[in-house]
Amino acid sequence: MTDPRVERTRQALFSALDELLAEMPFGEISVSALAKRANVGRQTLYRHFDSMGAMVDARMQFGMAEQIELARSSQGDEADWMQQVALVACERVAAQPHISRAILSGEAGQDALASMRAQLVALRSDAPNDPLEHVPADLQGFVASFYAGAVAATLLHWIEAGCTPDAETMSGVIARLTANVPTEWGGITRSTS
């Protein structure tokens, strides 16, 4: 069980980060400003997180864990499943566009971006019908990364457009764009050099 004091401090840090991201780009936020806004000392921040990037990553991990759980418990065909999963993602992005922008743009650091990509790949692998079953095993990681990158770029563009159209419409766009992985993989030449 998590200590309530630890949880309160983490929430204060997350709220302070949200406020500061609404005012300035991630790269301009100092640890001192974040600690001051959260009403904690710098050492307290470092007791909870190695860096501000790690803090953003922890925040994203929590939200993605909920989304992965939803994906694993959802039923239905792949199109319905993708629509449900994309809707949760779009709603989360719309609720926290500043955090999402920092992650998706790479401002929060490569670890947060890599973590986001890994989470998107994990979500894709939980689809009702394995979307990668026809992809040669040695290419599956590349194909999964392609889809994760496409979703991340689409979400970043959506944030920059002010999260319009609405989350439901955007989730439909993402579901349609990512629903089908080609089943034909013949003709791909692999070099062994």
Side-chain angles (χ1 to χ4, degrees):
M1 181 161 198
T2 305
D3 182 337
R5 293 172 299 172
V6 169
E7 190 57 35
R8 276 193 305 272
T9 301
R10 289 174 70 96
Q11 286 305 317
L13 288 165
F14 289 146
S15 293
L17 182 61
D18 284 346
E19 291 171 12
L20 288 170
L21 282 170
E23 299 168 14
M24 65 187 76
F26 181 82
E28 293 179 16
I29 300 171
S30 69
V31 171
S32 296
L34 179 60
K36 182 177 179 180
R37 181 73 60 105
N39 202 26
V40 300
R42 287 173 48 101
Q43 291 304 317
T44 299
L45 186 145
Y46 284 120
R47 214 172 298 129
H48 292 271
F49 304 103
D50 293 340
S51 65
M52 289 191 346
M55 185 175 136
V56 171
D57 187 33
R59 176 101 183 245
M60 189 252 333
Q61 293 274 346
F62 178 75
M64 290 297 285
E66 290 176 346
Q67 191 169 0
I68 288 173
E69 186 57 39
L70 168 74
R72 290 183 176 151
S73 66
S74 294
Q75 302 297 316
D77 66 19
E78 187 174 347
D80 289 340
W81 176 87
M82 184 59 74
Q83 176 82 32
Q84 291 173 5
V85 170
L87 181 58
V88 170
C90 288
E91 288 172 342
R92 181 168 289 116
V93 166
Q96 300 175 332
H98 306 299
I99 292 279
S100 299
R101 178 185 290 116
I103 294 168
L104 294 168
S105 69
E107 288 177 24
Q110 289 304 306
D111 289 344
L113 186 58
S115 183
M116 169 70 84
R117 186 174 48 250
Q119 296 288 342
L120 288 169
V121 168
L123 279 171
R124 184 77 187 154
S125 69
D126 285 332
N129 299 315
D130 182 1
L132 301 179
E133 70 181 325
H134 299 293
V135 178
D138 60 333
L139 299 177
Q140 287 184 2
F142 296 104
V143 174
S145 290
F146 171 82
Y147 281 97
V151 169
T154 301
L155 289 172
L156 182 58
H157 182 84
W158 185 56
I159 292 166
E160 290 167 353
C163 293
T164 57
D166 61 73
E168 189 168 340
T169 301
M170 198 64 222
S171 66
V173 169
I174 291 171
R176 284 177 190 84
L177 290 174
T178 62
N180 297 311
V181 175
T183 57
E184 297 290 327
W185 285 89
I188 294 178
T189 305
R190 294 183 198 114
S191 173
T192 56
S193 57

